[in-house]
Amino acid sequence: MTGQPLDPAALFKQQAAIQAATLVKDGMAVGLGTGSTATFVVAELGRRIREEGLRICAIPTSDATEAQAREEGIPLTSFGEHPDLDIAIDGADEIEPGTLNLVKGRGGALLREKIVAAAAKQLVIVADASKYVEHLGMLCPVPVEVVPFGWESAATRLARLGAHVAPRKHRDGSFYLTDEKNLIMDCVFGPIEDPDTLSQSIYGIVGVIEHGLFLHMATQTITAGPEGIKILEPTHKRTTQSAP
């Protein structure tokens, strides 16, 4: 990380990230998230490796995170070597207290993020306190990753579920492509009263690869804000989310 002063939101993200990184112990296989908060996690783990002799291996959730991990000197592994991970630490765009249901994927890595999250014994989410919402969908769209072929058909069917659908594009008008070379449909549903039913309905659309509703997956959230560090655990036992 640079030595430039951080703005308050970034400082809160860094505080949460450093707290979460303390959960990583010697010998762990770690999933590394993607996004502005996860960047601080990777930086802190790199520092611990260099200064404390921490011994871990990691699987990154994006090409960008992989590049940062290599720069930080974090040994990388694969699912062939470690099909199960001890812990994954990632950010979130929205967090629903109590359930710890999440919206993730604004950074475009939702497919790899969900693969890593599902493989981890613990999924720890780090964020600034502004990410808490009463219902998912209140702050941001739900990203849905679709194959490029027939994306218009998938978008039409997403709209029939009640969403305003927009394919994600770059400023020059070209389509945004994920690391897996798929497209992302940003779906504005508004407040989502029944995320489990919506999740299954989205999975039922042919051409959908994955979506950004991470339900019943997080084992802990660590957030930071003006009132300090806040740690929450879900009120119900974690389950593995999967398509029907």
Side-chain angles (χ1 to χ4, degrees):
M1 305 301 292
T2 67
Q4 298 178 352
L6 299 174
D7 61 60
L11 182 60
F12 293 143
K13 292 177 181 179
Q14 184 183 51
Q15 291 170 352
I18 291 173
Q19 178 73 27
T22 65
L23 299 173
V24 177
K25 309 300 182 184
D26 271 345
M28 281 189 168
V30 183
L32 302 177
T34 294
S36 58
T37 309
T39 296
F40 289 114
V41 175
V42 176
E44 176 62 10
L45 292 177
R47 184 200 66 78
R48 290 187 60 198
I49 287 172
R50 294 188 299 273
E51 299 180 9
E52 301 174 10
L54 178 69
R55 296 176 293 107
I56 62 171
C57 59
I59 294 181
T61 55
S62 66
D63 293 346
T65 299
E66 178 179 346
Q68 185 194 2
R70 292 186 185 280
E71 290 176 0
E72 294 286 352
I74 299 175
L76 300 182
T77 187
S78 68
F79 282 116
E81 295 289 331
H82 291 89
D84 298 305
L85 302 176
D86 296 291
I87 190 172
I89 307 177
D90 207 344
D93 302 301
E94 291 184 332
I95 303 169
E96 189 178 76
T99 64
L100 299 194
N101 286 337
L102 315 166
V103 170
K104 290 174 50 55
R106 291 290 288 162
L110 61 151
L111 174 58
R112 293 190 187 182
E113 287 176 339
K114 194 169 281 189
I115 292 171
V116 167
K121 298 174 185 176
Q122 303 177 68
L123 173 60
V124 178
I125 298 299
V126 289
D128 65 275
S130 70
K131 298 300 190 295
Y132 287 116
V133 294
E134 183 177 356
H135 294 289
L136 299 182
M138 295 181 70
L139 291 181
C140 63
V142 175
V144 179
E145 188 162 342
V146 304
V147 296
F149 179 81
W151 70 265
E152 301 94 337
S153 177
T156 297
R157 282 156 178 77
L158 287 166
R160 289 174 184 168
L161 297 179
H164 174 76
V165 182
R168 189 175 300 182
K169 295 183 178 181
H170 296 289
R171 290 185 177 180
D172 64 3
S174 61
F175 284 106
Y176 174 91
L177 294 179
T178 69
D179 289 344
E180 299 297 322
K181 309 306 179 187
N182 294 316
L183 304 182
I184 287 185
M185 302 294 115
D186 285 316
C187 301
V188 178
F189 288 98
I192 300 169
E193 298 289 342
D194 187 352
D196 288 280
T197 296
L198 179 59
S199 169
Q200 295 307 309
S201 296
I202 295 174
Y203 279 138
I205 297 173
V206 177
V208 166
I209 300 297
E210 192 49 85
H211 60 66
L213 294 172
F214 283 57
L215 309 180
H216 319 296
M217 300 186 78
T219 56
Q220 188 178 94
T221 60
I222 301 175
T223 57
E227 299 178 354
I229 299 287
K230 183 177 183 179
I231 300 175
L232 294 178
E233 295 183 355
T235 55
H236 295 91
K237 186 177 179 181
R238 181 193 189 196
T239 60
T240 299
Q241 180 182 340
S242 62

